[in-house]
Amino acid sequence: MAIEIEQPTVGLSKVAVSETHGEDSPYFAGWKAYDEDPYDESENPSGVIQMGLAENQVSFDLLEEYLEKHSEASTWGKGAPGFREHALFQDYHGLKSFRQAIASFMEQIRGGRAKFDPDRVVLTAGATAANELLTFILADPGDALLVPTPYYPGFDRDLRWRTGVKIVPIHCDSSNNFQVTPQALEAAFKDAEVMNIKVRGVLITNPSNPLGATIQRSVLEEILDFVTRKNIHLVSDEIYSGSAFSSSEFVSIAEILEARGYKDSERVHIVYSLSKDLGLPGFRVGTIYSYNDKVVTTARRMSSFTLISSQTQHLLASMLSDQEFTKNYIKINRERLRKRYEMIIEGLRNAGIECLKGNAGLFCWMNLSPLLKTQTREGELTLWKSIIRDLKLNISPGSSCHCSEPGWFRVCFANMSEQTLEVALKRIHNFMDQRKTETN
Amino acid sequence: MVFKLNNQLLSKIATGNGHGEDSPYFDGWKAYDEDPYHPTKNPKGVIQMGLAENQLCFDLIQEWLKNNPKASICTPEGAEEFRDIAIFQDYHGLPEFRNAVAKFMAKGRGNRVTFDPDRIVMSGGATGAHEMVAFCLADPGDAFLVPTPYYPGFDRDLRWRTGVQLIPVECESSNQFKVTRKALEDAYDTAQLDNIRVKGLLITNPSNPLGTILDRETLKSIVSFVNEKNIHLVCDEIYAATVFSQPDFVSISEIIEEEVECNLDLIHIVYSLSKDMGFPGFRVGIIYSYNDAVVSCARKMSSFGLVSSQTQHLIASMLSDDEFVEKFIMQNKKRLATRYSSFTNGLAQVGIKCLKTSNAGLFVWMDLRRLLKEQTIEGEIALWRVIINNVKLNVSPGSSFRCTEPGWFRVCFANMDDQTMEVALSRIKTFILKNKEAKMSVKKLCWQGSLKLSFSSRIYDEIISPHSPIPHSPLVRART
């Protein structure tokens, strides 16, 4: 055995010791509660129900059915011919058939209203990697990206941790359903200026996480005009595009660009992934679609650090090139998500709780501000802790999403069965009833 | 007014050349891409000998896959696991995956050590692992010491986005390129003089490009060096199971288990399945650290490069099949040994020597110093271009590995079948014999004594172009 010697441990990097990984945020305390006491229909019916995880589990049967019918196409078939080619394939361009399948899938989601060139598709291991990679390419350490609030808490890590880039918030509030306004954009830009920070771009999520709503066409136009005026980049994270409840309500930045004849489009980059729309987060399939050649080339080179397993590329290329399958999947998935959304909205309304009007995503944005003892972040966190402790529901507090108004919560509804959702709604109903009785 | 987006609107990292693709290392690849060898469709094409891939054991894997349909979540037998696997994105990784990898790593080291599955962290291939370790251990401007010659990808993997520097520890052929204490100290002192903070030492064992293993004494000396300087030691052991002949591979994990004073927090291993198993496409990179804080940090960072759960599932299945693994490891070594000896014997027939201490890896370290017209990098690159353009082999020049002695070339032999290897050998033999012939005719002329020209450059003109620049030179007449 090695004789261990006592000496001050040689330091790790500043990146390593920083807390920018974000795991000390309250966002994770709810998860820990769930990990320690997870709900199970039969084994642990009084456990914590996970409503903090934006996963899509409503359409697996469609995928499973596909695999059953097409096992030869998606595996390496009998005797595994083709295995060898895939096992060796580590070209950072990615399987051409896979890129083509992704491009066509993205087109289908947008109802054919935008075209995607497979040669502009860069593959990364998840949108997590895609967002970080783009940040490395578009900004230097100390620079900033402007991000509308409320935003996905993971951005704090993905955009900032190893890149050294900052996030300056674009404040949005409920007075106009949290939409981005030109005033808010200008204000954020000024905030950065005052702090002597160079702004390199704006990053929007459309459909929005956590709002569960698509960005309107007019707002997208304003944002595009703004970044053009300031000569900065625009990253559009569209990972929930296939989860809009109806195809016509989602407008992609790609459509705006197409309408403008792709003028000045080199500043625009789209992030996509199969983790939400297809419900395959484990497979780590992310993409960057850039209208800027240099960004495509550089992103491709950088993707060496985070390539998608060729085994997975092969499986999904097969599945996603089956246009009949994808058309059907997209349609049914949207339907089921809409139904699930309506179910939770109605359940919450019956309990006296209102949500933001949503039309996309795997969650709703719930307004519990009437329940806060004080309209402050502390008030929100106090309420949140009691929801975890007493209702045994892990939901995400708005403050973890940097929402400037306390009292909003993100509640996921697609990562569980209908029965479990019923149980959750019942608990909420009882809780609200109890409060009514207490107040009376 | 049109505001044109230009390069200044991208980051310094993006606009710099830290991606490393401007290196000559890639010119040979381009030559191959434009004219790739094929036994029937393009028998005169360039043979790829610059790619360190292991293609010798796919038949064993294919057989296993046929017999184990459950390992794939796409087969009827395995499909019931599809849902759970598809959702699984926990950065701890599937427990059965980590267990299987830990077992495989132990078997690859003759079961002389065991590995704790909880110290296994995933990454996007060894490429991702190296970058991740650098992010964990060093700040921008800090440096790692790296013995030369070393894998060219390190320049990108350890430096590009991290801002970390690499300082070479120079090794020489006079002692088989061993890593000496003196060379380590010299490199460290150089850094001190330049006011550069050294955070660690990176060794590759077995070595790429040398194909040698580090002996016990050297490893012990390295361990004592890093402890003395209180710097990290990163051991890239991705070729561990490619050691095909004696002496046995000694992993750093074995050294620290022995009676050696060592701060375990300094020791980190990078591993991968790309070379030992031949699965570079699956992007299975592993960081194994004896430092809890590094395990914790790396695990969080692994979010940027997790292994696909589909692949984790397959690998977990395959590598927990003890019988298969043992058979695979043994066959792999056997086939590599056979390929190595066929290749080196063929080379020896025309007087080409390779580093004699090599007993591992997927390549030979070929000594072509005597073929250089000048013992310089330029001389080496000139010879390299001849080999690519005339001999039509993509090999890797030693200078791309920062080798301080010109004339060495890394030549891969495990990424092709037997026939292709024979073709490559015969091209080499032809080239060498032609070269000898040209030299012989020059010797004759030398003896005649009347010409004062530089004959070695004439030889090159003959070999590179069929038309001599001076059509009526005595040299041309002598050859015909």
Side-chain angles (χ1 to χ4, degrees), chain A residues 7 13-14 23 92 136 309, chain B residues 11 21 91 135 139 230 311:
Chain A
Q7 71 179 39
S13 64
K14 294 195 181 82
E23 291 194 17
Y92 61 28
F136 269 120
S309 169
Chain B
S11 66
E21 292 192 13
Y91 61 25
F135 268 122
D139 293 320
N230 201 20
T311 301

Side-chain angles (χ1 to χ4, degrees), chain A residues 1-2 7 10-11 13-14 23 55 84 87 89 92 136-137 140 200 233 266 282 301 306 309-312, chain B residues 5 9-12 21 55 86-88 91 135-136 138-139 230 256-257 266 280-281 304 308-311:
Chain A
M1 273 306 293
Q7 71 179 39
V10 59
S13 64
K14 294 195 181 82
E23 291 194 17
E55 263 178 13
R84 178 203 176 98
F89 186 85
Y92 61 28
F136 269 120
I137 293 178
D140 292 311
R200 300 306 286 269
H233 293 277
E266 308 91 52
R301 287 176 175 149
T306 183
S309 169
S310 55
Q311 180 193 18
T312 302
Chain B
L5 202 69
L9 284 157
L10 299 189
S11 66
K12 297 190 181 84
E21 292 192 13
Q55 295 190 24
I87 301 180
F88 188 86
Y91 61 25
F135 268 122
C136 286
D139 293 320
N230 201 20
I256 60 180
E257 296 233 334
L266 301 177
F304 299 113
S308 167
S309 54
Q310 177 194 16
T311 301

Side-chain angles (χ1 to χ4, degrees), chain B residues 27-265:
Chain B
D27 283 358
W29 289 66
K30 288 175 198 152
Y32 170 77
D33 283 339
E34 283 156 19
D35 183 23
Y37 169 81
H38 184 276
T40 46
K41 299 191 193 140
N42 190 18
K44 295 215 171 79
V46 176
I47 297 179
Q48 175 65 283
M49 304 191 89
L51 187 51
E53 269 176 8
N54 183 355
Q55 295 190 24
L56 302 184
C57 289
F58 278 122
D59 57 318
L60 300 177
I61 310 266
Q62 276 165 226
E63 197 193 315
W64 188 90
L65 284 173
K66 240 196 317 182
N67 297 331
N68 292 275
K70 231 174 160 277
S72 162
I73 49 179
C74 311
T75 56
E77 294 85 345
E80 62 186 14
E81 300 223 48
F82 177 83
R83 183 183 289 236
D84 290 335
I85 297 291
I87 301 180
F88 188 86
Q89 59 170 328
D90 180 348
Y91 61 25
H92 288 80
L94 283 172
E96 55 268 29
F97 170 74
R98 282 184 286 115
N99 290 338
V101 170
K103 240 193 337 178
F104 185 73
M105 286 173 73
K107 286 208 165 77
R109 288 151 185 76
N111 285 322
R112 294 182 293 273
V113 277
T114 54
F115 292 91
D116 175 1
D118 290 335
R119 290 194 172 283
I120 287 182
V121 176
M122 298 179 286
S123 59
T127 301
H130 276 295
E131 191 198 41
M132 202 147 77
V133 169
F135 268 122
C136 286
L137 304 181
D139 293 320
D142 290 345
F144 274 85
L145 308 181
V146 192
T148 66
Y150 64 77
Y151 164 59
F154 284 159
D155 286 332
R156 173 198 61 191
D157 300 349
L158 282 122
R159 300 185 322 165
W160 190 16
R161 305 193 300 182
T162 60
V164 165
Q165 309 186 52
L166 294 184
I167 293 178
V169 175
E170 289 175 7
C171 303
E172 301 168 356
S173 63
S174 54
N175 70 341
Q176 318 304 318
F177 295 95
K178 278 195 188 174
V179 180
T180 63
R181 183 61 180 241
K182 177 167 188 314
L184 288 169
E185 297 280 2
D186 284 349
Y188 189 86
D189 292 340
T190 307
Q192 302 295 92
L193 282 172
D194 290 338
N195 234 340
I196 297 173
R197 190 168 71 153
V198 174
K199 284 313 285 283
L201 166 64
L202 167 65
I203 60 174
T204 306
N205 178 30
S207 162
N208 173 13
L210 302 174
T212 54
I213 55 173
L214 293 175
D215 60 65
R216 244 187 176 79
E217 291 318 306
T218 305
L219 284 169
K220 284 195 176 145
S221 154
I222 284 173
V223 168
S224 90
F225 173 77
V226 300
N227 274 276
E228 213 176 281
K229 307 295 189 203
N230 201 20
I231 61 177
H232 292 282
L233 178 61
V234 181
C235 306
D236 180 331
E237 299 192 346
I238 68 176
Y239 292 97
T242 66
V243 178
F244 51 76
S245 65
Q246 290 292 311
D248 268 336
F249 173 61
V250 180
S251 163
I252 196 70
S253 49
E254 299 174 54
I255 300 293
I256 60 180
E257 296 233 334
E258 294 166 8
E259 295 288 327
V260 173
E261 281 191 15
C262 183
N263 177 0
L264 291 184
D265 279 346

Side-chain angles (χ1 to χ4, degrees), chain A residues 425-438:
Chain A
L425 285 171
K426 201 179 280 167
R427 289 185 189 177
I428 294 174
H429 212 263
N430 293 344
F431 171 73
M432 293 300 283
D433 274 348
Q434 228 178 349
R435 279 187 67 106
K436 260 197 226 136
T437 350
E438 277 166 17

Side-chain angles (χ1 to χ4, degrees), chain B residues 327-398:
Chain B
K327 177 167 136 199
F328 180 90
I329 290 179
M330 195 190 68
Q331 273 299 315
N332 189 36
K333 285 186 204 276
K334 238 170 119 181
R335 295 180 190 187
L336 284 170
T338 306
R339 184 55 72 83
Y340 175 86
S341 94
S342 306
F343 193 58
T344 48
N345 287 343
L347 295 173
Q349 284 169 17
V350 286
I352 294 187
K353 298 207 179 75
C354 298
L355 188 64
K356 64 181 187 217
T357 46
S358 299
N359 67 335
L362 311 173
F363 32 71
V364 296
W365 187 236
M366 195 184 280
D367 181 357
L368 297 181
R369 287 176 292 176
R370 64 184 177 82
L371 294 185
L372 298 190
K373 80 181 150 151
E374 32 177 88
Q375 298 294 324
T376 60
I377 291 186
E378 291 71 32
E380 176 185 286
I381 298 290
L383 174 60
W384 178 58
R385 292 203 189 281
V386 168
I387 295 174
I388 295 193
N389 297 323
N390 287 50
V391 191
K392 304 283 207 98
L393 302 176
N394 178 33
V395 300
S396 312

